[in-house]
Short mmCIF file of all heavy atoms in Angstrom, two decimals:
data_model
loop_
_atom_site.label_atom_id
_atom_site.label_comp_id
_atom_site.label_asym_id
_atom_site.label_seq_id
_atom_site.Cartn_x
_atom_site.Cartn_y
_atom_site.Cartn_z
N MET V 1 8.95 9.79 10.03
CA MET V 1 8.45 10.02 8.70
C MET V 1 8.48 11.51 8.39
O MET V 1 8.03 12.32 9.16
CB MET V 1 7.00 9.56 8.61
CG MET V 1 6.79 8.10 8.77
SD MET V 1 5.95 7.63 7.30
CE MET V 1 6.76 6.20 6.86
N GLN V 2 8.98 11.81 7.24
CA GLN V 2 9.03 13.20 6.81
C GLN V 2 7.77 13.53 6.03
O GLN V 2 7.56 13.02 4.94
CB GLN V 2 10.26 13.44 5.95
CG GLN V 2 10.40 14.87 5.49
CD GLN V 2 11.60 15.07 4.58
OE1 GLN V 2 12.38 14.16 4.37
NE2 GLN V 2 11.73 16.25 4.05
N GLN V 3 6.93 14.37 6.59
CA GLN V 3 5.69 14.74 5.91
C GLN V 3 5.85 16.01 5.08
O GLN V 3 5.02 16.30 4.25
CB GLN V 3 4.57 14.92 6.91
CG GLN V 3 4.14 13.62 7.54
CD GLN V 3 2.97 13.79 8.45
OE1 GLN V 3 2.21 14.74 8.35
NE2 GLN V 3 2.80 12.87 9.37
N GLY V 4 6.91 16.75 5.28
CA GLY V 4 7.08 18.02 4.59
C GLY V 4 7.86 17.91 3.29
O GLY V 4 8.76 18.69 3.04
N ILE V 5 7.52 16.96 2.47
CA ILE V 5 8.21 16.79 1.19
C ILE V 5 7.67 17.83 0.20
O ILE V 5 6.46 17.98 0.05
CB ILE V 5 8.01 15.37 0.64
CG1 ILE V 5 8.67 14.36 1.57
CG2 ILE V 5 8.60 15.24 -0.75
CD1 ILE V 5 8.46 12.92 1.16
N SER V 6 8.56 18.52 -0.47
CA SER V 6 8.15 19.56 -1.43
C SER V 6 7.71 18.94 -2.76
O SER V 6 8.03 17.79 -3.06
CB SER V 6 9.31 20.52 -1.68
OG SER V 6 10.33 19.86 -2.41
N LYS V 7 7.00 19.73 -3.55
CA LYS V 7 6.60 19.28 -4.89
C LYS V 7 7.84 18.97 -5.72
O LYS V 7 7.83 18.02 -6.50
CB LYS V 7 5.75 20.34 -5.57
CG LYS V 7 4.34 20.42 -5.04
CD LYS V 7 3.52 21.40 -5.85
CE LYS V 7 2.11 21.49 -5.33
NZ LYS V 7 1.25 22.37 -6.13
N ASN V 8 8.88 19.75 -5.55
CA ASN V 8 10.11 19.51 -6.29
C ASN V 8 10.69 18.14 -5.93
O ASN V 8 11.13 17.39 -6.80
CB ASN V 8 11.13 20.62 -6.01
CG ASN V 8 12.34 20.50 -6.91
OD1 ASN V 8 12.21 20.30 -8.10
ND2 ASN V 8 13.53 20.63 -6.33
N GLN V 9 10.69 17.80 -4.65
CA GLN V 9 11.19 16.50 -4.23
C GLN V 9 10.32 15.37 -4.79
O GLN V 9 10.83 14.33 -5.21
CB GLN V 9 11.25 16.41 -2.71
CG GLN V 9 12.35 17.25 -2.10
CD GLN V 9 12.23 17.33 -0.59
OE1 GLN V 9 11.18 17.67 -0.05
NE2 GLN V 9 13.32 16.99 0.08
N LEU V 10 9.02 15.59 -4.80
CA LEU V 10 8.11 14.58 -5.34
C LEU V 10 8.34 14.39 -6.84
O LEU V 10 8.35 13.26 -7.34
CB LEU V 10 6.65 14.97 -5.06
CG LEU V 10 6.23 14.90 -3.60
CD1 LEU V 10 4.91 15.62 -3.39
CD2 LEU V 10 6.13 13.45 -3.14
N ARG V 11 8.55 15.49 -7.57
CA ARG V 11 8.86 15.40 -9.01
C ARG V 11 10.16 14.65 -9.24
O ARG V 11 10.27 13.83 -10.15
CB ARG V 11 8.97 16.81 -9.60
CG ARG V 11 7.68 17.39 -10.11
CD ARG V 11 7.92 18.63 -10.95
NE ARG V 11 8.57 19.70 -10.20
CZ ARG V 11 7.93 20.61 -9.47
NH1 ARG V 11 6.62 20.58 -9.40
NH2 ARG V 11 8.60 21.54 -8.82
N GLU V 12 11.15 14.96 -8.41
CA GLU V 12 12.45 14.30 -8.53
C GLU V 12 12.32 12.79 -8.29
O GLU V 12 12.88 11.99 -9.03
CB GLU V 12 13.40 14.90 -7.48
CG GLU V 12 14.83 14.91 -7.87
CD GLU V 12 15.67 15.68 -6.87
OE1 GLU V 12 15.48 16.90 -6.74
OE2 GLU V 12 16.49 15.03 -6.23
N MET V 13 11.57 12.43 -7.26
CA MET V 13 11.36 11.01 -6.96
C MET V 13 10.67 10.32 -8.15
O MET V 13 11.07 9.24 -8.55
CB MET V 13 10.51 10.85 -5.70
CG MET V 13 11.24 11.25 -4.44
SD MET V 13 10.17 11.32 -3.00
CE MET V 13 9.82 9.60 -2.77
N GLU V 14 9.65 10.99 -8.69
CA GLU V 14 8.92 10.43 -9.82
C GLU V 14 9.83 10.25 -11.03
O GLU V 14 9.80 9.21 -11.69
CB GLU V 14 7.75 11.35 -10.17
CG GLU V 14 6.87 10.80 -11.26
CD GLU V 14 5.68 11.71 -11.55
OE1 GLU V 14 5.73 12.92 -11.25
OE2 GLU V 14 4.70 11.18 -12.08
N SER V 15 10.68 11.23 -11.30
CA SER V 15 11.57 11.14 -12.47
C SER V 15 12.61 10.03 -12.31
O SER V 15 13.12 9.51 -13.29
CB SER V 15 12.24 12.48 -12.73
OG SER V 15 13.21 12.76 -11.75
N GLU V 16 12.92 9.67 -11.07
CA GLU V 16 13.89 8.60 -10.80
C GLU V 16 13.20 7.26 -10.52
O GLU V 16 13.84 6.30 -10.11
CB GLU V 16 14.77 8.98 -9.61
CG GLU V 16 15.65 10.19 -9.85
CD GLU V 16 16.68 9.96 -10.93
OE1 GLU V 16 17.16 8.81 -11.10
OE2 GLU V 16 17.02 10.94 -11.64
N ASN V 17 11.89 7.21 -10.75
CA ASN V 17 11.09 5.99 -10.52
C ASN V 17 11.19 5.48 -9.09
O ASN V 17 11.25 4.28 -8.85
CB ASN V 17 11.48 4.89 -11.51
CG ASN V 17 11.11 5.25 -12.92
OD1 ASN V 17 10.01 5.74 -13.19
ND2 ASN V 17 12.04 5.05 -13.84
N VAL V 18 11.19 6.41 -8.15
CA VAL V 18 11.17 6.07 -6.73
C VAL V 18 9.72 6.10 -6.26
O VAL V 18 9.02 7.10 -6.45
CB VAL V 18 12.02 7.06 -5.90
CG1 VAL V 18 11.86 6.80 -4.41
CG2 VAL V 18 13.48 6.96 -6.31
N GLN V 19 9.27 5.00 -5.68
CA GLN V 19 7.89 4.91 -5.21
C GLN V 19 7.82 5.35 -3.75
O GLN V 19 8.44 4.75 -2.89
CB GLN V 19 7.39 3.46 -5.33
CG GLN V 19 6.00 3.22 -4.78
CD GLN V 19 4.93 3.96 -5.56
OE1 GLN V 19 4.78 3.77 -6.76
NE2 GLN V 19 4.19 4.81 -4.89
N LEU V 20 7.03 6.38 -3.49
CA LEU V 20 6.83 6.85 -2.13
C LEU V 20 5.79 5.96 -1.46
O LEU V 20 4.72 5.72 -2.01
CB LEU V 20 6.37 8.31 -2.13
CG LEU V 20 6.13 8.97 -0.78
CD1 LEU V 20 7.40 8.96 0.07
CD2 LEU V 20 5.61 10.38 -0.98
N VAL V 21 6.11 5.48 -0.26
CA VAL V 21 5.21 4.61 0.50
C VAL V 21 4.98 5.27 1.86
O VAL V 21 5.94 5.53 2.59
CB VAL V 21 5.82 3.20 0.69
CG1 VAL V 21 4.90 2.31 1.50
CG2 VAL V 21 6.14 2.57 -0.66
N VAL V 22 3.72 5.55 2.18
CA VAL V 22 3.39 6.21 3.45
C VAL V 22 2.13 5.59 4.05
O VAL V 22 1.33 4.98 3.35
CB VAL V 22 3.18 7.74 3.27
CG1 VAL V 22 4.40 8.41 2.71
CG2 VAL V 22 1.99 8.03 2.40
N PRO V 23 1.93 5.77 5.36
CA PRO V 23 0.68 5.32 5.97
C PRO V 23 -0.52 6.04 5.34
O PRO V 23 -0.42 7.21 4.95
CB PRO V 23 0.83 5.72 7.44
CG PRO V 23 2.30 5.82 7.66
CD PRO V 23 2.86 6.32 6.35
N LYS V 24 -1.61 5.34 5.24
CA LYS V 24 -2.82 5.86 4.59
C LYS V 24 -3.21 7.25 5.10
O LYS V 24 -3.55 8.13 4.32
CB LYS V 24 -3.97 4.88 4.83
CG LYS V 24 -5.29 5.29 4.26
CD LYS V 24 -6.36 4.27 4.60
CE LYS V 24 -7.72 4.72 4.13
NZ LYS V 24 -8.75 3.75 4.47
N GLU V 25 -3.14 7.46 6.41
CA GLU V 25 -3.59 8.73 6.98
C GLU V 25 -2.69 9.91 6.61
O GLU V 25 -3.08 11.06 6.75
CB GLU V 25 -3.74 8.63 8.50
CG GLU V 25 -2.51 8.20 9.25
CD GLU V 25 -2.35 6.69 9.38
OE1 GLU V 25 -3.10 5.92 8.74
OE2 GLU V 25 -1.45 6.26 10.14
N TYR V 26 -1.50 9.66 6.09
CA TYR V 26 -0.59 10.74 5.70
C TYR V 26 -0.81 11.22 4.27
O TYR V 26 -0.40 12.31 3.90
CB TYR V 26 0.87 10.31 5.83
CG TYR V 26 1.38 10.14 7.24
CD1 TYR V 26 0.56 10.33 8.35
CD2 TYR V 26 2.68 9.77 7.47
CE1 TYR V 26 1.03 10.15 9.62
CE2 TYR V 26 3.17 9.60 8.75
CZ TYR V 26 2.33 9.80 9.83
OH TYR V 26 2.82 9.64 11.09
N ILE V 27 -1.44 10.40 3.46
CA ILE V 27 -1.61 10.73 2.03
C ILE V 27 -2.36 12.05 1.85
O ILE V 27 -2.05 12.83 0.96
CB ILE V 27 -2.28 9.57 1.27
CG1 ILE V 27 -1.32 8.38 1.23
CG2 ILE V 27 -2.68 9.99 -0.14
CD1 ILE V 27 -1.89 7.13 0.61
N ALA V 28 -3.30 12.33 2.72
CA ALA V 28 -4.09 13.56 2.61
C ALA V 28 -3.23 14.82 2.70
O ALA V 28 -3.62 15.87 2.20
CB ALA V 28 -5.16 13.58 3.71
N SER V 29 -2.06 14.73 3.30
CA SER V 29 -1.22 15.91 3.47
C SER V 29 -0.35 16.21 2.25
O SER V 29 0.37 17.21 2.24
CB SER V 29 -0.34 15.75 4.71
OG SER V 29 0.62 14.72 4.52
N TYR V 30 -0.42 15.39 1.22
CA TYR V 30 0.40 15.60 0.01
C TYR V 30 -0.40 16.35 -1.04
O TYR V 30 -1.64 16.32 -1.05
CB TYR V 30 0.88 14.25 -0.54
CG TYR V 30 1.94 13.65 0.35
CD1 TYR V 30 1.60 12.81 1.40
CD2 TYR V 30 3.29 13.95 0.17
CE1 TYR V 30 2.57 12.28 2.24
CE2 TYR V 30 4.26 13.43 1.00
CZ TYR V 30 3.90 12.60 2.03
OH TYR V 30 4.85 12.11 2.86
N PRO V 31 0.27 17.02 -1.97
CA PRO V 31 -0.43 17.77 -3.03
C PRO V 31 -1.37 16.85 -3.83
O PRO V 31 -1.02 15.69 -4.10
CB PRO V 31 0.71 18.28 -3.92
CG PRO V 31 1.92 18.29 -3.06
CD PRO V 31 1.73 17.14 -2.11
N PRO V 32 -2.53 17.35 -4.20
CA PRO V 32 -3.53 16.54 -4.91
C PRO V 32 -3.00 15.80 -6.13
O PRO V 32 -3.35 14.66 -6.38
CB PRO V 32 -4.59 17.56 -5.32
CG PRO V 32 -4.41 18.71 -4.41
CD PRO V 32 -2.96 18.73 -4.03
N GLU V 33 -2.11 16.46 -6.89
CA GLU V 33 -1.62 15.84 -8.12
C GLU V 33 -0.70 14.64 -7.87
O GLU V 33 -0.36 13.90 -8.80
CB GLU V 33 -0.93 16.87 -9.03
CG GLU V 33 0.30 17.51 -8.43
CD GLU V 33 0.04 18.80 -7.66
OE1 GLU V 33 -1.06 18.97 -7.11
OE2 GLU V 33 0.96 19.63 -7.62
N TYR V 34 -0.29 14.42 -6.62
CA TYR V 34 0.60 13.30 -6.30
C TYR V 34 -0.08 12.21 -5.49
O TYR V 34 0.45 11.11 -5.35
CB TYR V 34 1.85 13.79 -5.57
CG TYR V 34 2.77 14.56 -6.47
CD1 TYR V 34 2.73 15.94 -6.52
CD2 TYR V 34 3.65 13.90 -7.32
CE1 TYR V 34 3.55 16.65 -7.39
CE2 TYR V 34 4.47 14.60 -8.19
CZ TYR V 34 4.41 15.97 -8.21
OH TYR V 34 5.22 16.66 -9.07
N LYS V 35 -1.25 12.48 -4.95
CA LYS V 35 -1.92 11.53 -4.06
C LYS V 35 -2.12 10.16 -4.71
O LYS V 35 -1.93 9.13 -4.08
CB LYS V 35 -3.25 12.08 -3.58
CG LYS V 35 -3.08 13.19 -2.58
CD LYS V 35 -4.42 13.71 -2.12
CE LYS V 35 -4.22 14.89 -1.18
NZ LYS V 35 -5.50 15.42 -0.71
N SER V 36 -2.51 10.14 -5.97
CA SER V 36 -2.78 8.86 -6.64
C SER V 36 -1.50 8.09 -6.94
O SER V 36 -1.55 6.90 -7.25
CB SER V 36 -3.56 9.10 -7.93
OG SER V 36 -2.77 9.81 -8.86
N LYS V 37 -0.35 8.75 -6.84
CA LYS V 37 0.93 8.11 -7.15
C LYS V 37 1.63 7.57 -5.90
O LYS V 37 2.67 6.93 -6.00
CB LYS V 37 1.85 9.10 -7.85
CG LYS V 37 1.26 9.61 -9.16
CD LYS V 37 2.10 10.71 -9.73
CE LYS V 37 1.41 11.28 -10.97
NZ LYS V 37 2.14 12.40 -11.54
N ILE V 38 1.05 7.84 -4.73
CA ILE V 38 1.66 7.42 -3.47
C ILE V 38 1.07 6.07 -3.06
O ILE V 38 -0.14 5.88 -3.11
CB ILE V 38 1.40 8.47 -2.37
CG1 ILE V 38 2.05 9.80 -2.77
CG2 ILE V 38 1.93 7.99 -1.03
CD1 ILE V 38 1.69 10.96 -1.87
N MET V 39 1.93 5.17 -2.66
CA MET V 39 1.48 3.84 -2.24
C MET V 39 1.30 3.81 -0.72
O MET V 39 2.14 4.32 0.01
CB MET V 39 2.51 2.78 -2.66
CG MET V 39 2.09 1.37 -2.31
SD MET V 39 3.31 0.13 -2.84
CE MET V 39 2.77 -0.11 -4.51
N ARG V 40 0.20 3.21 -0.30
CA ARG V 40 -0.04 3.03 1.14
C ARG V 40 0.85 1.91 1.66
O ARG V 40 1.14 0.95 0.94
CB ARG V 40 -1.50 2.69 1.40
CG ARG V 40 -2.46 3.78 0.97
CD ARG V 40 -3.88 3.44 1.26
NE ARG V 40 -4.20 2.14 0.65
CZ ARG V 40 -5.37 1.54 0.76
NH1 ARG V 40 -6.34 2.08 1.45
NH2 ARG V 40 -5.59 0.39 0.18
N VAL V 41 1.26 2.01 2.91
CA VAL V 41 2.10 0.98 3.52
C VAL V 41 1.41 -0.37 3.43
O VAL V 41 2.04 -1.39 3.10
CB VAL V 41 2.44 1.33 4.99
CG1 VAL V 41 3.14 0.17 5.68
CG2 VAL V 41 3.31 2.58 5.05
N SER V 42 0.11 -0.42 3.70
CA SER V 42 -0.62 -1.69 3.67
C SER V 42 -0.58 -2.33 2.28
O SER V 42 -0.44 -3.55 2.14
CB SER V 42 -2.06 -1.51 4.13
OG SER V 42 -2.73 -0.57 3.30
N ASP V 43 -0.67 -1.51 1.23
CA ASP V 43 -0.59 -2.04 -0.14
C ASP V 43 0.82 -2.52 -0.46
O ASP V 43 1.00 -3.52 -1.17
CB ASP V 43 -1.02 -0.98 -1.16
CG ASP V 43 -2.50 -0.67 -1.08
OD1 ASP V 43 -3.28 -1.55 -0.64
OD2 ASP V 43 -2.89 0.46 -1.45
N PHE V 44 1.82 -1.83 0.07
CA PHE V 44 3.20 -2.24 -0.13
C PHE V 44 3.46 -3.59 0.53
O PHE V 44 4.06 -4.49 -0.08
CB PHE V 44 4.16 -1.19 0.43
CG PHE V 44 5.61 -1.59 0.34
CD1 PHE V 44 6.28 -1.57 -0.87
CD2 PHE V 44 6.30 -2.00 1.47
CE1 PHE V 44 7.61 -1.95 -0.96
CE2 PHE V 44 7.62 -2.38 1.39
CZ PHE V 44 8.28 -2.35 0.17
N VAL V 45 2.99 -3.76 1.75
CA VAL V 45 3.17 -5.03 2.46
C VAL V 45 2.47 -6.16 1.71
O VAL V 45 3.02 -7.25 1.55
CB VAL V 45 2.66 -4.93 3.92
CG1 VAL V 45 2.62 -6.28 4.60
CG2 VAL V 45 3.52 -3.95 4.71
N LYS V 46 1.27 -5.89 1.21
CA LYS V 46 0.54 -6.88 0.43
C LYS V 46 1.32 -7.28 -0.83
O LYS V 46 1.44 -8.45 -1.16
CB LYS V 46 -0.83 -6.33 0.04
CG LYS V 46 -1.69 -7.29 -0.73
CD LYS V 46 -3.04 -6.66 -1.05
CE LYS V 46 -3.86 -7.59 -1.91
NZ LYS V 46 -5.13 -6.99 -2.32
N LEU V 47 1.89 -6.29 -1.52
CA LEU V 47 2.69 -6.54 -2.72
C LEU V 47 3.90 -7.41 -2.39
O LEU V 47 4.22 -8.34 -3.12
CB LEU V 47 3.13 -5.22 -3.34
CG LEU V 47 4.02 -5.30 -4.57
CD1 LEU V 47 3.29 -5.96 -5.74
CD2 LEU V 47 4.52 -3.91 -4.95
N VAL V 48 4.57 -7.11 -1.31
CA VAL V 48 5.74 -7.90 -0.90
C VAL V 48 5.33 -9.34 -0.63
O VAL V 48 6.00 -10.28 -1.09
CB VAL V 48 6.43 -7.27 0.35
CG1 VAL V 48 7.47 -8.22 0.92
CG2 VAL V 48 7.05 -5.94 -0.01
N HIS V 49 4.23 -9.54 0.07
CA HIS V 49 3.77 -10.90 0.35
C HIS V 49 3.44 -11.65 -0.94
O HIS V 49 3.78 -12.83 -1.08
CB HIS V 49 2.56 -10.87 1.26
CG HIS V 49 2.90 -10.59 2.68
ND1 HIS V 49 2.07 -10.88 3.73
CD2 HIS V 49 4.00 -10.03 3.26
CE1 HIS V 49 2.62 -10.53 4.86
NE2 HIS V 49 3.81 -10.00 4.59
N GLU V 50 2.77 -10.97 -1.86
CA GLU V 50 2.43 -11.60 -3.14
C GLU V 50 3.68 -12.00 -3.90
O GLU V 50 3.75 -13.09 -4.47
CB GLU V 50 1.59 -10.64 -3.99
CG GLU V 50 0.18 -10.45 -3.48
CD GLU V 50 -0.57 -9.33 -4.20
OE1 GLU V 50 0.02 -8.65 -5.07
OE2 GLU V 50 -1.75 -9.12 -3.86
N ARG V 51 4.67 -11.13 -3.91
CA ARG V 51 5.91 -11.45 -4.64
C ARG V 51 6.69 -12.55 -3.96
O ARG V 51 7.32 -13.38 -4.62
CB ARG V 51 6.75 -10.19 -4.82
CG ARG V 51 6.03 -9.23 -5.77
CD ARG V 51 6.95 -8.27 -6.40
NE ARG V 51 6.21 -7.45 -7.37
CZ ARG V 51 6.63 -6.30 -7.81
NH1 ARG V 51 7.79 -5.81 -7.39
NH2 ARG V 51 5.91 -5.63 -8.69
N GLN V 52 6.65 -12.60 -2.65
CA GLN V 52 7.33 -13.68 -1.93
C GLN V 52 6.67 -15.01 -2.27
O GLN V 52 7.35 -16.01 -2.47
CB GLN V 52 7.28 -13.45 -0.42
CG GLN V 52 8.25 -12.42 0.07
CD GLN V 52 8.15 -12.17 1.56
OE1 GLN V 52 7.09 -12.34 2.17
NE2 GLN V 52 9.26 -11.75 2.14
N ASP V 53 5.34 -15.00 -2.31
CA ASP V 53 4.60 -16.21 -2.65
C ASP V 53 4.96 -16.71 -4.04
O ASP V 53 5.05 -17.91 -4.28
CB ASP V 53 3.08 -15.99 -2.54
CG ASP V 53 2.61 -15.84 -1.11
OD1 ASP V 53 3.38 -16.20 -0.18
OD2 ASP V 53 1.47 -15.36 -0.90
N GLU V 54 5.17 -15.79 -4.98
CA GLU V 54 5.54 -16.17 -6.35
C GLU V 54 6.88 -16.91 -6.38
O GLU V 54 7.06 -17.84 -7.16
CB GLU V 54 5.64 -14.93 -7.24
CG GLU V 54 4.31 -14.29 -7.56
CD GLU V 54 4.47 -12.98 -8.33
OE1 GLU V 54 5.59 -12.68 -8.81
OE2 GLU V 54 3.47 -12.26 -8.46
N PHE V 55 7.79 -16.50 -5.54
CA PHE V 55 9.12 -17.12 -5.51
C PHE V 55 9.16 -18.41 -4.71
O PHE V 55 10.09 -19.17 -4.84
CB PHE V 55 10.18 -16.13 -4.99
CG PHE V 55 10.45 -15.02 -5.95
CD1 PHE V 55 10.05 -13.72 -5.67
CD2 PHE V 55 11.10 -15.26 -7.15
CE1 PHE V 55 10.30 -12.68 -6.55
CE2 PHE V 55 11.35 -14.23 -8.05
CZ PHE V 55 10.95 -12.94 -7.75
N MET V 56 8.15 -18.64 -3.90
CA MET V 56 8.10 -19.84 -3.08
C MET V 56 7.60 -21.04 -3.85
O MET V 56 7.75 -22.16 -3.43
CB MET V 56 7.24 -19.61 -1.84
CG MET V 56 7.74 -18.50 -0.93
SD MET V 56 9.39 -18.80 -0.28
CE MET V 56 9.01 -19.96 1.00
N VAL V 57 7.00 -20.80 -5.01
CA VAL V 57 6.41 -21.89 -5.80
C VAL V 57 7.48 -22.57 -6.62
O VAL V 57 8.43 -22.12 -7.04
CB VAL V 57 5.28 -21.34 -6.72
CG1 VAL V 57 4.75 -22.44 -7.61
CG2 VAL V 57 4.20 -20.75 -5.89
#
């Protein structure tokens, strides 16, 4: 996992609608203005399961 992502890289990801997904304990190392935009791995896994369930019906 690359923890040294620059603000410029984060802005670029945001402008391209790329969702950053990291373990919960890594979020603290990101700039404050981006913390709320970062998805935790556990939330991503939950989202995938929910979407899989939608397609199974």
